[in-house]
Amino acid sequence: MKVYNLNTKTSFNEQNLCITIGNFDGIHRGHQFVINEIISNSKSSNLLNAVMSFTPHPRVFFGYAKNLFNILTKEEKLKILKEMGIAIYINFDFDEYLSNLTAEEFIKDIIIKKLKVKKIIVGSDFRFGKDRKGNLDILKLLSKKLNFDLINVETINVENTKTKYSSSKIREFIKEGNFQNVSQMLGRNWSMKGKIIKGNQRARIINFPTANMKPQNTILPKKGVYCVKAIIDSESYNGVANFGYRPTINGSVLLLETHLFEFN
């Protein structure tokens, strides 16, 4: 998978793209449905499949969300997209200039002229352009005016419910500690990564050693005790973990303290 970090001034030399646009935070089952559609459709159309996302997330840029907001790190997101079969990933700077482009300007100047897109595949709730005024109806009109193909992928719901797959809902579940619903929406378990730091080693005295991890720069779960599975050097270990603040000389530090079974 080729990764391009672009802004409104950088050049881009790929052509004949079949693209989907969105932040795809979490890459939940609804996202996976769209991504699989673009991969399949690009093959039959002899086009290059591509995913376009934005940094920072527009909600973070406009101050609607805090920095600890994303469900996945950038590295995790790229790994999943590559494994799914995405050929090109475009990480586009979301800045003041881009945020002020009208819906038509965004499609005409960025998607068609700059990225040379031939086909766009998006969900029914796709919004774009200044103040999110662009929608599917406007995109249909622009596809005729600017001569590109458009495919609408209908929104799918969680099995046996009327609830649609939603990154916002997954964030709520993570904050609530409701990981059964998180896993159902993601189609896999959510994970935390971070740096292991040395603790005071008091737990070793009672034969309950823990690995103390500073959490990564993503959304944080509800503080509490969890059953966990840790991956170390490609090996999987079950364990129990406490997520919360640990007192220190200089105040407190937020840690995931994990005791692994059958691990030395």
Side-chain angles (χ1 to χ4, degrees):
M1 181 176 74
K2 294 181 181 179
V3 177
Y4 292 92
N5 295 303
L6 303 179
N7 57 45
T8 52
K9 297 179 180 179
T10 51
S11 60
F12 182 73
N13 297 320
E14 300 285 357
Q15 297 187 43
N16 299 322
L17 298 188
C18 175
I19 200 169
T20 187
I21 307 164
N23 281 286
F24 297 98
D25 187 24
I27 313 184
H28 56 60
R29 282 176 163 162
H31 294 150
Q32 293 166 32
F33 188 79
V34 175
I35 291 167
N36 286 328
E37 176 65 27
I38 194 173
I39 291 171
S40 173
N41 199 284
S42 63
K43 288 180 180 178
S44 61
S45 305
N46 198 29
L47 298 171
L48 273 174
N49 73 67
V51 169
M52 179 185 187
S53 291
F54 304 95
T55 300
H57 192 293
R59 287 180 63 182
V60 173
F61 176 83
F62 287 115
Y64 301 144
K66 297 179 180 179
N67 286 330
L68 297 179
F69 173 78
N70 290 327
I71 298 167
L72 295 175
T73 64
K74 180 181 177 181
E75 292 74 21
E76 290 170 326
K77 183 176 177 180
L78 293 179
K79 182 177 182 291
I80 294 172
L81 290 174
K82 181 179 179 179
E83 290 173 349
M84 291 187 70
I86 288 299
I88 293 176
Y89 178 78
I90 298 169
N91 180 47
F92 212 97
D93 285 353
F94 195 87
D95 55 19
E96 186 173 358
Y97 179 83
L98 192 71
S99 71
N100 283 313
L101 292 179
T102 66
E104 182 168 349
E105 287 170 340
F106 173 71
I107 297 298
K108 181 180 68 175
D109 297 341
I110 305 298
I111 301 303
I112 303 304
K113 287 186 179 180
K114 188 176 187 68
L115 302 183
K116 306 174 186 68
V117 168
K118 298 296 183 184
K119 183 180 291 188
I120 299 175
I121 299 179
V122 292
S124 300
D125 56 356
F126 179 61
R127 297 291 184 272
F128 61 101
K130 184 176 174 61
D131 299 324
R132 290 170 50 88
K133 289 184 177 180
N135 55 26
L136 191 61
D137 289 334
I138 291 175
L139 200 54
K140 287 177 180 177
L141 294 174
L142 291 174
S143 70
K144 296 175 182 178
K145 181 178 180 179
L146 300 173
N147 193 31
F148 62 86
D149 292 329
L150 173 65
I151 293 179
N152 168 37
V153 178
E154 292 294 334
T155 300
I156 61 171
N157 294 335
V158 177
E159 188 175 3
N160 299 321
T161 74
K162 294 183 179 180
T163 303
K164 72 175 184 176
Y165 290 102
S166 162
S167 297
S168 296
K169 198 66 181 175
I170 291 170
R171 292 186 194 100
E172 290 179 18
F173 288 144
I174 291 173
K175 290 179 179 179
E176 294 168 0
N178 187 344
F179 286 98
Q180 182 175 350
N181 284 350
V182 171
S183 297
Q184 182 185 29
M185 282 202 164
L186 290 178
R188 63 185 184 280
N189 291 332
W190 182 73
S191 64
M192 290 181 68
K193 290 183 179 179
K195 183 179 180 180
I196 301 297
I197 63 172
K198 187 174 181 179
N200 54 30
Q201 298 185 314
R202 289 178 183 173
R204 291 183 181 274
I205 300 174
I206 58 173
N207 198 31
F208 199 81
T210 61
N212 304 319
M213 186 184 81
K214 279 190 172 182
Q216 60 197 359
N217 191 29
T218 58
I219 191 169
L220 299 176
K222 180 181 179 179
K223 297 173 185 65
V225 179
Y226 297 93
C227 294
V228 299
K229 181 176 289 186
I231 308 298
I232 303 174
D233 295 331
S234 300
E235 293 290 333
S236 177
Y237 301 90
N238 293 321
V240 61
N242 178 73
F243 183 64
Y245 284 99
R246 171 63 58 193
T248 67
I249 295 175
N250 298 318
S252 62
V253 60
L254 188 61
L255 292 175
L256 181 72
E257 299 176 282
T258 305
H259 174 72
L260 301 178
F261 308 137
E262 300 178 358
F263 177 82
N264 294 316

